[in-house]
Amino acid sequence: MEKRHFREIPYSFSSLLFLLHFLSLQLPSSAYTRPEEYFISCGSDTNISSAGRTFTGDSSSGISLSFTFKGQSSTVKDSNRSTKTPSLYQTARLFRENSFYEFEISTSGTYLLRLHFFAFSSPDNLSAAHFDVSASGFSLLKNFTLQTSSSIPLIEEFFLSISIGKFSLNFMPQGSSSFAFVNALEVFLAPEDFIPNDAPHISRAGRSSNNSYEGIRSEALQTIHRINVGGSNLTPDNDTLWRYWVPDDSYLYNPVTAKNSTFHPDRPNYLEGINEYIAPDLVYQTAKEMNIDGNRTSNTFNVSWSFNVSKNARHFVRVHFCDIISQSLGVLRFNLFIFSNYSILIDPYDKTGQLAAPFYIDFVVDSDDSGLVNFSIGPRADSDEKTAFLNGLEILQIVGESGSVSRKHEPNKTPIFIVVGSVIGGIGLSCILAVVICLCLRCRKPKTVENWEWSPRPVRRGGSSQNRMPEGSVIGSRVPDLNLGLKISFAEIQFATNNFDVKMIVGKGGFGLVFRGTLRNGMKVAVKRSEPGSGQGLSEFQTEIMVLSKIRHRHLVSLIGYCDEMSEMILVYEFMEKGALRDHLYNLALPSLSWTQRLEICIGAAKGLHYLHRGAAGGFIHRDVKSTNILLDEELVAKVADFGLSRLGPPDQTHVSTGVKGTFGYLDPDYFRTQQLTEKSDVYSFGVVLLEVLCARPAINTLLPREQVNLAEWGIICKNKGTLEQIVDPSIKSQINLSSLRKFAEIAEKCLQECSADRPPMGDVQWYLEYALQLQQTGIEREPHEDSATDASAMLALPNIQRFASFSMSAEKDDMPILREDSANIWASEVFSQLRIDDAR
């Protein structure tokens, strides 16, 4: 729903990029008046009034109709005639073959097309209808059917550019026994320039394409979301173009960050001069603004909304603003974020020159394979008022270019000499291109793993929704050939998992199902198989392979191989017999871990993360450290897992610019506020894990009193009050040496510091944990005021570890990074027959 690192477009460039676009903010022609046609009540023999419109019955006798319909059709009426069902939805026209309505268009321009559907009770069972709808060469609805559980009408709304002449709206039943139907139609001219022809283009995940998207009017737009932010439901009775607007509350990412604001009557009359057709005045009279109250220590947070959209599709987005919260002019400036990496300065006074005056901004936004589009607003340091607001939002999917549905046309007669000339020219051009390609291939140098920059491959969409990838398949491999020797055939994985037997399922995560498997040589493995609609996709799949193919450590889960055949995304790991740390903390069916075991597990995980940060090739930041991603083997040795969100972050780099991702309860607040990722973000998440280990409770528990919901906040409060012992897991209370507990709490507190710069590096966390273990094993008791970290005698009792001020690493054999270009290849026939794997355990 993608936030938090943003990149401002330089003023010199943005002034050129948005100048023409903002000129489109001037209001459409005030000469526009609401049209009286075409509004049709399908299957009805009478006219029906609804929200200021008169729907003409298409079965009316004695009335000269300005439209016709062609094809085999019949009328059907609601057999119940319920008084609760509006008259407009008590009749329908039913088509059993390809049929169409034909309208006479007298004015060219952008038109609104609305299709009304309601499956009322009838012998024909309208819920069983299965059909397509097309118009002006656009496929508007594909394989459409109405859900039987729908108790309210469904309205599909489109914007189309229609020229003078005849306009056909086609209904095409799918299957010999199926049919199509429609209850009502609206086809009417929209205000002039209501839809711009170009707008700034934001590509996937919020990366600006640095140019405008042109030709919007030549494409069809389908309304997906129309949101009245901070307000209530608005019906056609409240809207001059008979639109529906819904509240935003269900789309808020974190509802406590925002509050509703309303227009004050004593403000200037901002409605003077506003065009009523862009949005109702009720949209501009309400807003969501940042919820800044006495319980917040700062207002450096964002308010975010997340919307479901089609995957890998293009969308026209209109964002509405009206400053109804400022008390004076020019005091409020804030940022609007789209996805993770794109932001734009919103300066209400700069746009309108007056207080409480509405304006809007248009964009074209590409969605990624997550099926979500996220919008956020946040304060700016250079603003007098540190707040932000939003009034309305519209998201319309761009259906495609005209001609996506074939039209009937006469074949063009082309002179034979043109055909011959084109063929000869084409052959010559092909030869030249072939020579150029060969020269490029001969000159190109092979890339190695270390200097190769990872980027997702484009996915070609299409095909049945029953495929493993619901929107299509990848042409070729999903992962470029890295010469890693890690590819495993799909047949091999089927054998290992007994064809993905449900009895072999051992877990389920954001990526998909996890199966237990056994290779041909008896080696046990864990198999993660993606599934349609999963929270993670191709990018995470590729990242996991990239990270795990470059690292090896005793406390990091090893990648055995992967499979990307037949639209599959499968990862194969070493099998961790004891499962996730979380299970051993909360599952009462499993034996409780002792305090010593918990300390050893934390030390192991810290070693793995420390190696990931500083010892791995290039250095990585995990970005999703939590108790479910710390796995235990048969000997309870901890290993960090799930690297799908990891990012490359060299030790000499202060931060990585990236969208905020992670898990609530574990998410670094400094990362969330600044959108700057560092290894200290992992340190914060690990601090939450430490409290989980100590208290055996989830990071977030909404069933508890408000001050106890967030474990990190509650743990720090208890430590400061000196009541930490009261929230310790009862099963280990009697085991813990008080000095060990104090040191452990001190470590957790250091990890959970608000500012990332105040947190220790993971190497120091590891050292402190080993010291806490030493205190537990030696039984040394210390007074609370003593600084055990500087006690010389205690230092001598620790294992032989070199410790530096900001960097430390245990000298273990498995800590050494793998340099794949120089390392020897190891034949692994005992793992897979005829499969070569480099350095995989």
Side-chain angles (χ1 to χ4, degrees):
M1 188 44 183
E2 326 163 83
K3 114 181 148 171
R4 329 303 188 242
H5 174 67
F6 65 91
R7 178 176 55 81
E8 290 192 10
I9 298 178
Y11 287 106
S12 59
F13 176 75
S14 62
S15 59
L16 296 175
L17 178 63
F18 291 106
L19 177 59
L20 293 178
H21 169 60
F22 282 138
L23 290 177
S24 69
L25 301 185
Q26 50 190 330
L27 305 174
S29 173
S30 59
Y32 176 80
T33 56
R34 295 200 297 182
E36 298 181 355
E37 56 182 24
Y38 295 98
F39 303 99
I40 302 173
S41 178
C42 304
S44 175
D45 54 9
T46 61
N47 294 346
I48 297 172
S49 296
S50 175
R53 296 159 292 178
T54 298
F55 286 80
T56 302
D58 65 1
S59 297
S60 300
S61 58
I63 300 177
S64 177
L65 301 178
S66 54
F67 61 89
T68 58
F69 49 87
K70 299 181 180 181
Q72 182 182 354
S73 69
S74 59
T75 62
V76 59
K77 297 184 178 182
D78 186 354
S79 58
N80 289 336
R81 290 284 180 170
S82 170
T83 57
K84 295 182 180 180
T85 303
S87 300
L88 191 63
Y89 300 107
Q90 293 183 0
T91 63
R93 182 161 294 277
L94 189 146
F95 308 95
R96 295 196 180 275
E97 64 178 29
N98 290 357
S99 308
F100 60 91
Y101 280 85
E102 189 172 79
F103 305 90
E104 192 68 37
I105 301 299
S106 58
T107 304
S108 297
T110 298
Y111 280 73
L112 270 87
L113 166 64
R114 294 196 185 105
L115 310 175
H116 297 249
F117 302 101
F118 182 67
F120 53 70
S121 177
S122 73
D124 294 284
N125 187 15
L126 299 181
S127 298
H130 185 204
F131 56 97
D132 297 347
V133 179
S134 67
S136 294
F138 294 99
S139 178
L140 303 181
L141 298 176
K142 190 73 173 175
N143 295 322
F144 179 81
T145 185
L146 201 63
Q147 297 295 328
T148 56
S149 60
S150 178
S151 59
I152 59 175
L154 174 65
I155 302 175
E156 296 286 358
E157 181 184 272
F158 301 88
F159 288 82
L160 296 169
S161 180
I162 305 177
S163 301
I164 295 175
K166 295 186 182 299
F167 167 68
S168 296
L169 180 61
N170 308 286
F171 293 84
M172 298 162 284
Q174 296 300 296
S176 57
S177 61
S178 188
F179 59 90
F181 82 96
V182 63
N183 299 87
L185 297 173
E186 298 177 62
V187 182
F188 63 92
L189 183 66
E192 185 180 356
D193 296 330
F194 188 81
I195 300 294
N197 196 48
D198 60 87
H201 184 202
I202 313 302
S203 62
R204 291 188 180 116
R207 291 179 288 272
S208 174
S209 61
N210 292 334
N211 54 36
S212 292
Y213 184 92
E214 298 180 353
I216 300 174
R217 290 179 190 154
S218 66
E219 303 180 356
L221 308 178
Q222 180 180 9
T223 302
I224 306 299
H225 298 286
R226 182 172 285 125
I227 310 298
N228 181 21
V229 180
S232 58
N233 277 301
L234 300 182
T235 66
D237 293 304
N238 310 118
D239 189 288
T240 52
L241 294 180
W242 306 288
R243 293 165 293 190
Y244 283 91
W245 300 73
V246 301
D248 67 302
D249 300 275
S250 61
Y251 302 97
L252 273 170
Y253 196 60
N254 186 2
V256 300
T257 62
K259 64 181 179 180
N260 292 338
S261 296
T262 56
F263 176 71
H264 299 287
D266 57 345
R267 295 284 181 87
N269 185 5
Y270 73 95
L271 294 178
E272 292 182 0
I274 181 177
N275 186 286
E276 58 182 332
Y277 300 109
I278 294 298
D281 56 358
L282 292 175
V283 170
Y284 292 118
Q285 289 181 8
T286 60
K288 274 283 195 312
E289 65 172 302
M290 294 173 60
N291 183 23
I292 303 170
D293 55 36
N295 294 327
R296 296 188 181 276
T297 57
S298 67
N299 59 348
T300 54
F301 60 91
N302 294 334
V303 181
S304 302
W305 294 263
S306 182
F307 298 92
N308 289 314
V309 295
S310 297
K311 297 180 179 180
N312 299 295
R314 190 155 286 163
H315 301 82
F316 175 76
V317 174
R318 175 164 289 173
V319 191
H320 298 268
F321 299 96
C322 183
D323 186 2
I324 61 175
I325 63 176
S326 295
Q327 299 296 323
S328 57
L329 294 173
V331 297
L332 176 58
R333 304 165 82 235
F334 59 93
N335 290 315
L336 168 69
F337 305 92
I338 302 177
F339 282 118
S340 306
N341 302 314
Y342 179 86
S343 77
I344 180 174
L345 167 66
I346 304 299
D347 187 338
Y349 181 76
D350 180 60
K351 300 294 186 297
T352 66
Q354 55 186 326
L355 191 64
F359 62 97
Y360 62 93
I361 305 177
D362 294 333
F363 300 93
V364 171
V365 179
D366 296 346
S367 62
D368 57 20
D369 59 2
S370 70
L372 295 172
V373 174
N374 301 320
F375 298 88
S376 304
I377 53 174
R380 289 178 60 92
D382 58 359
S383 175
D384 293 337
E385 291 188 12
K386 300 297 189 295
T387 187
F389 66 87
L390 181 66
N391 299 78
L393 183 70
E394 297 176 83
I395 302 176
L396 293 78
Q397 181 175 334
I398 297 178
V399 176
E401 296 181 357
S402 182
S404 59
V405 176
S406 61
R407 306 179 188 180
K408 294 182 180 179
H409 61 279
E410 295 295 326
N412 296 324
K413 296 181 180 180
T414 307
I416 186 66
F417 67 85
I418 295 180
V419 175
V420 173
S422 299
V423 172
I424 295 175
I427 294 174
L429 180 61
S430 299
C431 293
I432 294 173
L433 290 175
V435 172
V436 172
I437 292 172
C438 290
L439 290 175
C440 292
L441 290 175
R442 297 185 72 177
C443 295
R444 193 177 76 177
K445 296 180 180 180
K447 293 184 178 181
T448 63
V449 174
E450 292 302 322
N451 63 11
W452 178 70
E453 183 177 353
W454 193 274
S455 60
R457 297 189 106 195
V459 179
R460 183 172 296 173
R461 299 296 171 185
S464 169
S465 62
Q466 301 302 316
N467 293 340
R468 288 295 303 162
M469 289 297 290
E471 308 216 13
S473 59
V474 176
I475 306 303
S477 173
R478 293 178 180 275
V479 182
D481 186 6
L482 303 180
N483 297 317
L484 300 176
L486 295 176
K487 286 190 178 181
I488 305 174
S489 70
F490 185 67
E492 194 75 44
I493 295 175
Q494 282 182 307
F495 171 83
T497 60
N498 194 21
N499 197 23
F500 300 101
D501 189 341
V502 294
K503 297 179 181 177
M504 309 289 278
I505 296 175
V506 294
K508 182 177 182 180
F511 187 86
L513 294 174
V514 182
F515 296 82
R516 180 180 69 254
T518 305
L519 303 177
R520 296 182 188 274
N521 71 331
M523 180 183 182
K524 293 181 179 180
V525 293
V527 177
K528 285 173 63 174
R529 186 189 194 191
S530 72
E531 58 184 357
S534 65
Q536 294 175 284
L538 179 60
S539 177
E540 287 80 3
F541 176 71
Q542 294 179 325
T543 300
E544 187 105 357
I545 297 170
M546 179 190 72
V547 174
L548 287 177
S549 65
K550 299 176 71 174
I551 59 177
R552 185 185 68 184
H553 190 276
R554 182 170 183 259
H555 294 289
L556 299 178
V557 170
S558 295
L559 179 70
I560 301 299
Y562 69 90
C563 174
D564 61 352
E565 297 176 14
M566 299 183 295
S567 299
E568 293 280 353
M569 290 191 294
I570 300 174
L571 297 167
V572 181
Y573 308 89
E574 61 174 317
F575 186 69
M576 301 298 288
E577 192 73 36
K578 298 296 185 180
L581 170 61
R582 180 187 180 94
D583 295 336
H584 292 268
L585 295 176
Y586 310 145
N587 191 342
L588 298 179
L590 296 175
S592 176
L593 296 171
S594 69
W595 177 238
T596 299
Q597 288 174 323
R598 298 186 194 200
L599 284 172
E600 291 173 340
I601 289 169
C602 291
I603 291 170
K607 287 181 178 179
L609 289 170
H610 180 39
Y611 168 75
L612 193 70
H613 291 169
R614 299 301 181 94
F620 291 95
I621 303 170
H622 189 281
R623 207 158 52 142
D624 198 19
V625 176
K626 54 186 177 181
S627 57
T628 52
N629 287 339
I630 297 174
L631 306 182
L632 307 176
D633 69 6
E634 195 167 9
E635 303 298 326
L636 292 178
V637 173
K639 302 193 179 189
V640 180
D642 201 342
F643 300 87
L645 297 182
S646 298
R647 291 295 298 267
L648 189 66
D652 59 347
Q653 183 171 322
T654 58
H655 70 269
V656 178
S657 300
T658 177
V660 173
K661 290 189 178 181
T663 303
F664 270 114
Y666 299 89
L667 197 59
D668 171 16
D670 205 14
Y671 171 33
F672 185 84
R673 285 193 301 267
T674 64
Q675 296 88 42
Q676 295 181 351
L677 176 69
T678 71
E679 65 181 47
K680 298 295 185 67
S681 297
D682 283 352
V683 174
Y684 181 92
S685 302
F686 190 68
V688 179
V689 172
L690 294 180
L691 288 183
E692 253 188 298
V693 167
L694 180 65
C695 306
R697 58 146 286 188
I700 297 292
N701 187 344
T702 56
L703 300 178
L704 294 173
R706 181 175 179 179
E707 69 275 6
Q708 300 180 25
V709 169
N710 187 296
L711 177 59
E713 295 178 1
W714 180 234
I716 296 302
I717 290 173
C718 291
K719 182 183 182 300
N720 292 338
K721 289 183 177 180
T723 60
L724 187 63
E725 296 177 26
Q726 297 178 11
I727 64 172
V728 172
D729 182 3
S731 67
I732 59 170
K733 259 189 178 182
S734 61
Q735 305 172 15
I736 304 180
N737 177 285
L738 288 180
S739 294
S740 178
L741 175 61
R742 294 188 192 109
K743 177 52 60 179
F744 189 87
E746 176 188 327
I747 303 163
E749 184 180 33
K750 289 178 182 292
C751 292
L752 296 173
Q753 290 297 302
E754 188 80 8
C755 179
S756 60
D758 296 333
R759 301 170 202 151
M762 193 57 70
D764 286 0
V765 175
Q766 171 193 329
W767 188 90
Y768 285 127
L769 287 170
E770 288 174 329
Y771 186 45
L773 176 61
Q774 188 69 19
L775 291 173
Q776 177 68 23
Q777 292 174 334
T778 59
I780 298 175
E781 292 289 350
R782 298 192 174 276
E783 294 301 321
H785 63 272
E786 290 188 73
D787 181 6
S788 55
T790 59
D791 187 272
S793 61
M795 293 275 285
L796 293 174
L798 288 173
N800 184 19
I801 302 172
Q802 287 186 317
R803 181 174 183 271
F804 302 90
S806 60
F807 179 85
S808 64
M809 179 182 295
S810 301
E812 296 186 14
K813 180 180 180 181
D814 285 334
D815 288 351
M816 305 309 295
I818 297 173
L819 302 178
R820 292 196 169 274
E821 291 82 335
D822 301 326
S823 57
N825 293 324
I826 302 173
W827 285 101
S829 57
E830 68 277 16
V831 178
F832 299 113
S833 58
Q834 300 180 341
L835 176 66
R836 188 172 182 175
I837 303 178
D838 291 350
D839 303 316
R841 294 188 292 118

